[in-house]
């Protein structure tokens, strides 16, 4: 069963959002997503300073047999990226909500308003998808 | 018929298993009005004996003229072992090595090929080949746009000393994605890139890449060190287009300038592939390791199997069309596997010394040819400076009729530059390789001398 | 199991090179080349004797499956027998020795073959004109979509920036549309495997440049609503592109031109049986309806009272241009020419008949064993799709396991995991050149695998066992890139910019 920490927010495209202080959001992909992708071999992250808007493809996660876009769940400026994934992409498989974080975004005014799911709602969604 | 092994009984029993009464019934889902009538444009079948006769007659029509044309395709000696092995069914009739465990032969060969091309060009990584030299150049331009994150202009500087067909194909392939090709003229005295023209072209904004062919289309040598450093000083990538035989003796693109070329492409045909009327050939592409994910085409990697033994497999496939679909680096599926098989065997037989000797022998024949032809009244050289195995000669009259007269004597005398370089005309590009003999060159020179000789005073009606 | 075959770099020894093959230039042959241009360090190429080289590559060849040794039911790839005559007559010395820039006057034999091939392909496909230039199916697609773009532009119809592609399409279709500067609009396929017409109607409009369609589709069924699709797309001002990957299924039965397609590419290495060469060369000739003929890629062979010449930009000023240095993969075209001459008019139809017979027979045999056809209510075309979704849930096995086990049992695996929309699928294309006995042997192997799912799962899941290597670690290959033999030093002399 997928691990879905209750304190995070989610999207229906299987990203998670952690609200940090000072209007910053940390973003990654969920345990369910990493499991579906399989062993991740490469991660392409956006440049620091790039402005992303919610729903825009901003990163790519590659496994051996697939390449998936990661969509920005919030709008704002990319102020942090997890460069450790460049040499150790397996961190996403091993610890998707911790060492596998992907980017940090300084929210634009209203940039965090995009519709996100609570942990309970995301669990519901996973339940429906597996039917 | 049609290499179909079924007996009549097979067909009937198979239809019974399917549960239909006739072959026609298998096509019941095709709307009846669409069913094709007889294919009147297709002739009746020939037997193998008949088609063999036909093909031999057609081939005989074309004969075996003595060839002094290069211009991107070169007649080199091909050791018999190359095609004896390449045409083994195990290489010839295998598919793309998707099932790695059943394709270790092809995969290991491609890994060896990648290694050879990397060392030959002085780069870190190679793909498993592209279609041909021209299309590889177009793909290199697209790759440069992806790889050069410092440039947003999509402007590629393309000198006129690059093969004219490469320029046209590059435009056909890359032009639809908004790439802008800016032409850089050549210095008319030397037949090489006019460096001051580069500065003028760069003044218009940032440059994504500069393409440099070495030796260039005229056979001359560009100042590759200065051009490479110029590109890097302008935050542009340097795309090198090279003849692989020449790299037996020329400094590799990885050693150009302060930092070396960024992407190296070229036509692989000289490496063991016959002229074959233009194809199939193969294009090669090598680059820096940091750009490997931007590189199009198949790539083979060495890995381990579940028992810890070494093996080979296609890798980095997530760049490719069958996975990334609309976001793939290119729509390319195939490499030119069979031609790469030939080239890998060729390079194994030649080694570094054989390749250098081939380059030297081909060049020596072209020097000999040039000297012989320059001795004929009405023939002169077009450019100053050194060249490799190909050179431009100017005539005192239009080239086309001269070449036609030579062809009538079974000699292909060169490539007429009138259409691609009208300012140079009347001029032609000539080439000799190690396959030519003293007698061949004497025959050409004698024929040309007769053709160019002043006509005897005419007594015909005026 | 088989021993490791060393790389060629380990086979030789310094000074042992195949010197019989090397020319002997005079010592001063390169005297006029400026020293600063000369190589300082030789490339790290092998130094192996001719026999070393012959043995090494012969042994490598023995580590391959190929059509000459194995049944190769790769769906969508049409791995039929490659008749030896095609190779022999395409490799006559005059054709091999001919320089691509030789004048037309000394190329009439070749040009005549190519012109006849153009005419035969026009007749087989029902198209108005053909260009043989594209060097592979993907390049044929590129040419085709480029022509669609050029056509709309020539009419000043500049707003058409979308290409519609069904979700089951080959990955090349969307990749090609992107390369040609179009936006891709994917539409779904319904439960019976036909294009969802309502979705198509909703997708087309003034932005539609065209649709790319394979028929029979990649699901191994004939698209029954092709007439409606043609009306919807043409009605919206778009053009229809035919991906010829599955042309083998309909040779002489129904022609893309008669179905209303405007552009088509053919994979001569599939339908017309030129060898795949371990991944190329192919040839992707394109055919067009008359209104697109001015845009064909050059050069094309033209005929004037029995004499042949190349048509180029002066003849076709609106052409999308050149796609290869010279004239595409001529050697492949000659093989296809010999093949179509040996097939003849009636042979074309026999190919489609027996390719379809073999697919439906094998599908019926596998269904009877307990495998699930993905579209059981449909007639298979020249290929069919099996889904292992049920077996995967019941026995925790995957299509990949079945594919690898088939290798052990002496069969090349079918296409796996394509189309992506059908879970755990095998796309199986037997082709017309396989005998009933071969199909029965393949069915027996599939029966054995089904039994192993229940009784000997480890054997299945750890396959292959009888290949030169066991299952390879693709993750390691992608993460720890090893793309060149480390014994051969390579790399630019200094760091990157």
């Amino acid at each position: 069963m997928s691990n879905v920490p209750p304190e995070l927010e989610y999207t229906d495209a299987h990203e998670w959002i952690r609200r940090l202080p000072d209007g910053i959001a940390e973003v990654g992909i969920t345990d369910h997503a990493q499991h579906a992708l399989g062993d991740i071999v490469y991660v392409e992250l956006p440049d620091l300073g790039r402005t992303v808007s919610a729903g825009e493809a901003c990163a790519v996660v590659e496994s051996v047999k697939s390449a998936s876009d990661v969509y920005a769940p919030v709008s704002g400026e990319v102020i942090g990226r997890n460069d450790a994934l460049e040499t150790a992409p397996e961190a996403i498989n091993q610890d998707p909500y911790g060492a596998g974080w992907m980017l940090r975004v300084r929210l634009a005014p209203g940039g965090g308003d995009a519709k996100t799911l609570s942990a309970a709602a995301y669990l519901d969604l996973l339940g429906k998808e597996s039917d | 018929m049609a290499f179909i092994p079924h007996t009549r009984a097979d067909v009937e029993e198979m239809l019974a298993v399917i549960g239909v009464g006739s072959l026609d019934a298998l096509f019941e889902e095709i709307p009846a009005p669409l069913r094709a009538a007889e294919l009147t444009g297709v002739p009746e079948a020939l037997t193998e004996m008949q088609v063999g006769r036909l093909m031999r007659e057609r081939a005989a029509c074309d004969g075996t003229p003595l060839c002094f044309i290069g211009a991107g395709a070169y007649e080199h000696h091909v050791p018999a072992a190359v095609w004896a092995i390449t045409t083994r069914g195990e290489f010839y009739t295998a598919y793309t090595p998707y099932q790695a465990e059943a394709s270790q032969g092809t995969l290991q060969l491609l890994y060896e090929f990648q290694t050879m091309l990397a060392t030959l060009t002085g780069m870190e990584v190679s793909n498993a080949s592209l279609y041909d030299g021209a299309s590889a150049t177009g793909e290199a331009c697209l790759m440069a746009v992806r790889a050069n994150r410092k440039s947003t202009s999509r402007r590629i500087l393309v000198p006129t000393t690059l093969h004219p067909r490469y320029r046209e194909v590059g435009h056909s392939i890359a032009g639809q994605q908004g790439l802008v090709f800016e032409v850089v003229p050549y210095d008319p005295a030397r037949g090489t890139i006019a460096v001051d023209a580069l500065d003028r072209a760069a003044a218009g904004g940032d440059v994504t890449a500069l393409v440099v062919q070495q030796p260039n289309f005229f056979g001359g040598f560009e100042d590759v060190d200065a051009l490479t450093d110029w590109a890097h000083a302008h935050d542009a990538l340097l795309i090198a287009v090279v003849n692989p035989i020449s790299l037996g003796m020329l400094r590799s693109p990885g050693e150009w300038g302060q930092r070396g070329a960024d992407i190296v492409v070229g036509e692989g045909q000289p490496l063991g592939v016959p002229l074959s009327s233009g194809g199939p050939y193969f294009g090669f592409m090598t680059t820096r390791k940091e750009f490997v994910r931007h590189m199009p085409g198949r790539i083979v990697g060495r890995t381990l199997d579940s028992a810890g033994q070494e093996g080979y497999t296609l890798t980095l496939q997530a760049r490719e069309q069958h996975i990334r679909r609309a976001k793939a680096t290119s729509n390319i599926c195939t490499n030119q596997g069979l031609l790469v098989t030939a080239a890998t065997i060729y390079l194994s037989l030649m080694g570094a010394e054989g390749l250098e000797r081939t380059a030297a022998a081909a060049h020596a024949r072209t020097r000999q040819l040039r000297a012989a032809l320059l001795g004929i009244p009405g023939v002169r050289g077009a450019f100053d400076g050194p060249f490799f195995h190909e050179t431009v000669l100017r005539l005192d009259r239009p080239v086309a009729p001269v070449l036609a007269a030579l062809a009538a004597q079974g000699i292909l005398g060169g490539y007429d530059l009138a259409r691609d370089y009208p300012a140079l005309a009347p001029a032609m590009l000539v080439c000799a390789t190690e396959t030519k003999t003293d007698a061949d060159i004497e025959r050409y020179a004698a024929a040309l001398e007769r053709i160019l000789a002043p006509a005897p005073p005419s007594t015909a009606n005026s | 199991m088989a021993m490791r075959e060393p790389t060629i770099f380990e086979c030789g020894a310094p000074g042992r090179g195949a010197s019989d093959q090397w020319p002997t230039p005079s010592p001063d042959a390169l005297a006029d080349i400026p020293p600063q241009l000369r190589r300082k360090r030789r490339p790290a190429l092998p130094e192996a004797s001719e026999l070393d080289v012959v043995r090494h590559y012969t042994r490598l060849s023995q580590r391959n499956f190929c059509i000459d040794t194995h049944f190769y039911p790769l769906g969508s790839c049409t791995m039929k027998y490659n008749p030896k005559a095609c190779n022999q007559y395409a490799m006559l010395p005059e054709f091999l020795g001919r320089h691509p820039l030789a004048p037309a006057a000394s190329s009439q034999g070749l040009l005549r073959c190519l012109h006849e091939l153009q005419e035969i392909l026009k007749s087989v496909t029902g198209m108005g004109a053909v260009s043989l230039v594209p060097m592979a199916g993907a390049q044929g697609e590129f040419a085709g979509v480029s022509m669609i773009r050029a056509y709309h532009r020539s009419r000043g119809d500049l707003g058409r920036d979308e290409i519609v592609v069904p979700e089951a399409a080959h990955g090349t279709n969307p990749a090609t549309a992107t390369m040609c500067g179009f936006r891709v609009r994917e539409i779904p396929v319904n439960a019976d495997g036909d294009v969802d017409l309502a979705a198509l109607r909703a997708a087309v409009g003034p932005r539609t440049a065209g649709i790319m369609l394979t028929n029979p589709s990649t699901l191994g069924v004939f698209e029954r609503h092709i007439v409606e699709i043609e009306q919807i797309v043409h009605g919206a001002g778009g053009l229809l592109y035919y991906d010829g990957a599955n042309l083998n299924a309909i040779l002489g039965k129904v022609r893309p031109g008669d179905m209303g397609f405007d552009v088509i590419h053919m994979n001569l290495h599939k339908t017309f049986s030129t060898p795949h060469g371990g991944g190329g060369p192919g040839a992707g000739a394109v055919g067009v309806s008359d209104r697109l003929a001015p845009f064909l890629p050059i050069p094309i062979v033209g005929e004037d009272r029995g004499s042949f010449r190349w048509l180029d930009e002066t003849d076709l000023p609106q052409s999308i241009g050149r796609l290869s240095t010279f004239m595409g993969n001529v050697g492949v075209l000659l093989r296809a020419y010999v093949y179509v001459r040996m097939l003849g008019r009636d042979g074309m139809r026999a190919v489609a008949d027996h390719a379809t017979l073999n697919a439906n027979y094998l599908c019926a045999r596998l269904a009877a064993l307990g495998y699930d056809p993905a579209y059981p209510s449909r007639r298979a075309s020249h290929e069919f799709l099996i889904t292992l979704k049920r077996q995967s849930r019941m026995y925790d096995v995957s299509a990949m396991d079945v594919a690898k086990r088939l290798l052990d049992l002496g069969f090349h695996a079918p296409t796996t995991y394509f189309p992506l929309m059908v879970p755990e699928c095998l796309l199986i294309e037997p082709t017309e050149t396989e005998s009933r006995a071969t199909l029965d042997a393949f069915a027996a192997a599939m029966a054995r695998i089904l039994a192993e799912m229940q009784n000997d799962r480890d054997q299945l899941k750890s396959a292959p066992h009888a290949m030169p290597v066991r299952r390879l670690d693709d993750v390691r290959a992608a993460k720890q890139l090893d793309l060149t033999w480390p014994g051969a030093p390579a790399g630019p002399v200094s760091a990157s910019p």
Side-chain angles (χ1 to χ4, degrees):
Chain A
M1 195 57 228
S2 276
N3 175 17
V4 179
E7 72 276 15
L8 303 181
E9 294 165 50
Y10 299 88
T11 70
D12 55 6
H14 308 287
E15 290 97 12
W16 57 260
I17 305 113
R18 174 179 286 128
R19 305 275 175 176
L20 301 178
D22 305 324
I24 291 168
E26 189 171 78
V27 175
I29 63 168
T30 66
D31 186 42
H32 172 83
Q34 71 79 14
H35 189 76
L37 284 165
D39 290 309
I40 289 165
V41 297
Y42 183 70
V43 180
E44 189 181 308
L45 297 171
D47 289 336
L48 288 179
R50 178 170 150 196
T51 305
V52 296
S53 43
E56 175 188 345
C58 66
V60 180
V61 181
E62 271 185 32
S63 67
V64 171
K65 300 290 180 209
S66 75
S68 301
D69 286 320
V70 177
Y71 300 95
V74 292
S75 303
E77 182 193 344
V78 178
I79 58 157
R81 35 181 265 166
N82 187 357
D83 288 325
L85 297 177
E86 210 166 277
T87 48
E90 61 274 15
I92 293 178
N93 294 113
Q94 291 158 357
D95 187 8
Y97 302 107
W101 70 277
M102 295 177 69
L103 39 136
R104 296 198 180 114
V105 177
R106 184 193 309 285
L107 298 176
D113 298 349
K115 216 177 105 204
T116 57
L117 305 173
S118 67
Y122 182 63
L123 270 169
D124 261 8
L125 177 84
L126 294 184
K128 282 185 198 127
E129 278 194 1
S130 69
D131 284 346
Chain B
M1 162 190 274
F3 306 95
I4 294 165
H6 300 60
T7 65
R8 188 166 300 189
D10 284 337
V11 172
E12 273 161 25
E13 288 162 25
M14 291 166 81
L15 288 170
V17 169
I18 299 166
V20 296
S22 69
L23 287 171
D24 266 348
L26 296 173
F27 297 87
E28 70 217 342
E29 290 189 1
I30 299 179
L34 294 180
R35 307 276 176 87
E38 190 158 17
L39 301 175
T40 49
V42 181
E44 297 290 348
L46 298 180
T47 64
E48 181 171 318
M49 183 178 76
Q50 290 169 323
V51 85
R53 173 81 183 259
L54 176 82
M55 293 302 283
R56 281 193 295 271
E57 285 169 5
R58 298 263 168 99
C61 264
D62 295 355
T64 50
L66 188 60
C67 180
F68 291 94
I69 312 178
Y74 303 96
E75 182 179 24
H76 289 288
H77 166 64
V78 180
V82 171
W83 283 88
I85 298 174
T86 301
T87 51
R88 285 178 64 93
E90 295 92 333
F91 285 131
Y92 213 49
T93 73
Y95 190 67
T96 301
Y98 284 133
Q99 291 293 338
E101 297 84 356
S103 313
Q104 286 296 297
T106 290
L107 286 164
Q108 183 172 337
L109 181 141
L110 292 175
Y111 177 84
E112 294 176 1
F113 168 80
Q114 289 172 185
T115 306
M116 291 178 194
L117 267 287
T119 183
L120 197 56
T121 58
M123 304 302 283
E124 289 168 307
V125 294
S126 167
N127 71 10
S129 79
L130 297 164
Y131 302 134
D132 72 357
S135 63
T137 305
E139 291 282 354
C141 295
L142 288 171
M143 176 179 160
V145 170
R146 294 189 294 269
N148 187 348
R149 298 176 87 157
K150 290 180 183 161
S151 162
T152 54
S153 67
R154 300 187 160 222
R155 286 205 311 154
I156 312 279
L157 301 189
V158 183
T160 48
T161 55
L162 173 66
H163 195 304
R165 296 295 94 72
Y166 286 29
R167 283 183 268 145
E168 291 166 14
V169 171
H171 195 267
S172 306
I173 289 177
Q176 300 185 48
Q177 292 185 59
L179 273 67
V180 179
F181 294 93
E182 289 199 14
V183 174
V184 180
Y186 65 88
D187 171 346
R190 300 188 54 85
T192 57
I193 297 171
V195 180
D196 55 333
L198 278 183
D199 291 324
R200 281 198 300 279
D206 79 69
V207 175
T208 304
L210 166 65
V211 184
V212 175
Q213 184 175 4
Q214 176 84 331
N216 69 22
F217 183 66
F218 302 134
F221 293 113
E222 303 288 357
D223 185 351
V224 291
D225 293 329
L227 292 167
T228 304
D229 292 341
W230 183 95
H232 290 154
H234 290 79
D235 284 337
L237 299 188
L238 193 287
I239 298 171
V241 180
V242 292
N243 175 338
I245 295 281
S246 77
L247 294 180
M249 64 90 186
L250 288 183
R251 201 139 48 83
S252 73
E255 299 166 301
W256 291 0
Q258 295 290 312
R259 295 194 303 229
D262 300 290
I263 305 170
V264 183
V265 293
E267 174 55 67
Q269 177 273 331
L271 302 175
V273 178
L275 289 170
S276 322
S277 304
Y281 295 169
F282 73 93
F284 58 84
M285 178 183 278
T286 62
T287 190
R288 301 172 186 281
K289 199 166 183 179
E290 68 182 289
F291 294 148
V292 67
R293 282 170 192 277
H294 299 295
M295 183 160 61
R298 300 276 193 244
I299 300 174
V300 174
R302 191 165 60 124
T303 185
L304 299 178
D305 70 6
S306 59
Q309 302 297 308
E310 170 189 87
Y312 303 86
T313 186
L314 291 175
T315 192
L316 297 180
Q317 292 191 72
R319 301 164 299 118
E320 295 187 59
Q321 51 77 27
H322 61 288
I323 291 176
R324 295 219 72 183
R325 299 175 73 86
K327 292 183 173 176
T329 50
S330 167
N331 73 346
I332 283 183
C333 307
T334 44
N335 55 20
Q336 297 279 94
L338 195 72
L339 295 314
V340 165
T341 305
T344 306
I345 298 169
Y346 178 85
L347 283 170
S348 300
L349 291 168
M350 301 317 276
E353 184 170 354
L355 206 60
E356 183 176 6
R357 287 209 213 172
T358 300
H363 181 59
R365 285 300 181 193
T366 303
R367 283 170 71 192
Q368 185 186 352
L369 174 70
R370 181 181 157 98
L373 299 186
L374 287 180
I376 299 168
V379 181
R380 60 196 173 91
F383 302 120
D384 308 327
F387 60 92
F388 171 68
H389 121 346
E390 192 156 29
T391 188
V392 179
L393 300 178
R394 301 183 85 163
L395 302 186
D396 62 358
R397 70 196 73 183
V399 169
V402 174
L403 290 180
L406 283 166
Q409 298 178 46
I411 298 168
L412 305 182
Y415 178 65
D416 184 358
L417 295 171
R419 206 185 79 184
D420 297 308
Y421 299 93
L424 263 182
M428 63 180 182
L429 187 62
V430 299
C431 170
T433 64
E434 79 281 7
T435 59
K436 297 297 172 287
T437 62
D438 293 345
D440 293 336
I441 288 169
E442 282 158 21
R443 186 178 148 207
Y444 180 17
L448 185 63
E449 186 156 19
R450 280 195 302 275
I451 291 164
L452 295 183
S458 172
T459 53
N461 52 335
S462 52
Chain C
M1 199 41 251
M3 299 275 292
R4 169 182 186 269
E5 174 64 22
T7 65
I8 187 67
F9 306 99
E10 300 160 85
C11 289
R16 199 204 278 171
S19 55
D20 294 299
Q21 297 296 343
W22 304 344
T24 47
S26 66
D28 66 344
L30 294 172
D32 62 330
I33 306 285
Q36 76 273 16
L37 292 173
R38 296 287 301 278
R39 206 165 177 128
K40 303 288 181 290
R41 203 176 55 195
R42 277 186 167 169
L45 294 173
E47 291 191 74
S49 72
E50 185 162 329
L51 181 55
D52 288 336
V53 173
V54 168
R55 285 219 177 112
H56 172 68
Y57 288 108
T58 302
R59 282 200 295 254
L60 282 190
S61 79
Q62 291 166 336
R63 297 182 158 227
N64 268 3
F65 275 27
C66 67
I67 301 176
D68 282 359
T69 54
H70 290 82
F71 178 41
Y72 233 100
L74 262 180
S76 180
C77 300
T78 313
M79 296 295 283
K80 60 170 82 176
Y81 168 60
N82 308 137
K84 301 297 176 191
C86 301
N87 302 330
Q88 182 168 332
Y89 298 128
M91 294 180 78
L92 292 172
E94 293 89 343
F95 293 139
L96 282 189
R98 182 183 167 278
H99 193 284
L101 298 171
S106 48
S107 312
Q108 289 296 300
L110 173 77
L111 290 175
R112 185 164 181 193
C113 292
L114 297 182
H115 187 264
E116 288 177 9
L117 180 60
Q118 288 174 188
E119 294 300 308
I120 290 169
L121 295 179
K122 275 160 64 175
S123 174
V124 170
T125 59
M127 306 308 285
V130 162
S131 166
L132 302 172
V133 165
M135 293 178 281
Q139 215 190 30
E141 283 187 34
F142 178 82
V145 178
S146 299
M147 286 189 275
I148 290 177
R149 181 177 148 116
Y151 169 78
H152 290 308
R153 292 195 159 221
S154 74
R155 293 157 45 91
D157 195 351
L158 305 177
R160 297 188 179 273
D161 61 353
E162 287 182 356
I163 292 279
V164 178
V165 177
E167 60 179 331
H170 294 109
T172 46
N173 291 174
T176 300
T178 304
M179 276 192 89
C180 295
F182 286 108
R183 219 169 68 88
V184 176
R185 190 139 179 178
E186 286 210 352
I187 54 165
V189 170
N190 67 26
D192 285 337
D194 291 320
V195 164
D196 181 333
L197 290 183
L200 177 62
R201 281 196 192 91
V204 300
R207 294 183 67 176
T208 304
I211 186 171
M212 299 180 81
L213 210 61
T214 310
N215 195 16
S217 74
T218 56
L219 305 173
V221 295
F222 190 84
E223 172 56 63
R224 290 172 293 189
H225 303 127
I226 183 61
V227 174
E228 290 90 328
I229 292 171
E230 185 268 325
Q231 287 163 354
I232 292 168
V233 175
H234 278 156
L239 299 181
L240 281 85
Y241 181 93
Y242 182 87
D243 177 331
N246 294 343
L247 189 62
N248 212 49
I250 58 166
L251 271 188
K253 292 287 178 180
V254 53
R255 307 190 305 168
D258 298 338
M259 289 190 261
F261 284 94
D262 302 282
V263 195
I264 158 178
H265 89 265
M266 295 154 258
N267 296 297
L268 301 185
H269 47 286
K270 298 181 182 178
T271 316
F272 300 108
S273 198
T274 68
H276 282 72
V286 285
V288 291
S289 55
D290 291 330
R291 61 176 162 162
L292 288 173
F295 306 104
L296 281 169
I298 50 174
I300 296 167
V301 184
E303 186 203 355
D304 185 16
R305 281 162 297 170
S307 117
F308 301 91
R309 71 177 179 91
W310 297 113
L311 305 180
D312 60 17
E313 45 274 84
T314 46
D315 305 282
L316 288 152
Q318 287 183 284
S319 164
I320 58 160
R322 290 176 188 272
L323 299 173
S324 80
T325 317
F326 300 108
M327 158 52 217
N329 286 339
V330 172
V332 179
L333 301 173
L334 286 174
R335 284 167 177 78
Y337 173 72
V338 173
Y339 179 74
V340 297
R341 292 304 307 266
M342 288 196 292
L343 280 194
R345 190 180 299 168
D346 298 331
M348 299 275 175
R349 195 174 284 244
V351 163
D353 278 338
H354 293 83
T356 306
L357 175 71
N358 277 0
N360 280 281
Y361 173 75
L362 190 54
C363 184
R365 291 288 322 266
L366 296 187
L369 292 174
Y371 285 100
D372 300 328
Y375 295 96
S377 68
R378 300 293 308 272
R379 177 71 63 213
S381 61
H382 66 308
E383 63 188 356
F384 61 98
L385 198 54
I386 294 280
T387 172
L388 300 173
K389 190 176 176 186
R390 197 164 51 86
Q391 288 83 357
S392 145
R393 285 194 174 178
M394 286 170 68
Y395 308 113
D396 185 31
V397 295
S398 66
M400 181 66 74
D401 297 330
V402 174
K404 299 302 182 196
R405 189 69 181 126
L406 276 169
L407 305 179
D408 279 341
L409 301 177
F411 298 96
H412 195 279
T415 298
T416 52
Y417 300 104
F418 177 81
L420 302 170
M421 51 184 279
V422 179
E424 297 297 333
C425 63
L426 298 174
L427 184 61
I428 301 174
E429 180 181 5
T431 82
E432 75 280 2
T433 59
E434 297 297 338
S435 68
R436 181 186 175 193
T438 301
L439 304 185
D440 288 342
F442 180 78
M446 290 295 281
R448 177 168 166 183
I449 290 172
L450 204 52
E452 286 180 357
M453 287 181 196
Q454 297 157 49
N455 310 324
D456 198 358
R457 228 165 45 89
D458 288 349
Q459 181 78 353
L460 178 57
K461 289 197 71 74
S462 58
H465 306 274
M467 295 290 102
V469 292
R470 304 289 298 276
R471 211 177 292 195
L472 289 160
D473 186 347
D474 290 334
V475 173
R476 181 192 169 94
K479 276 167 72 172
Q480 300 177 34
L481 283 182
D482 175 354
L483 309 180
T484 57
W485 176 248
V493 284
S494 59
S496 56

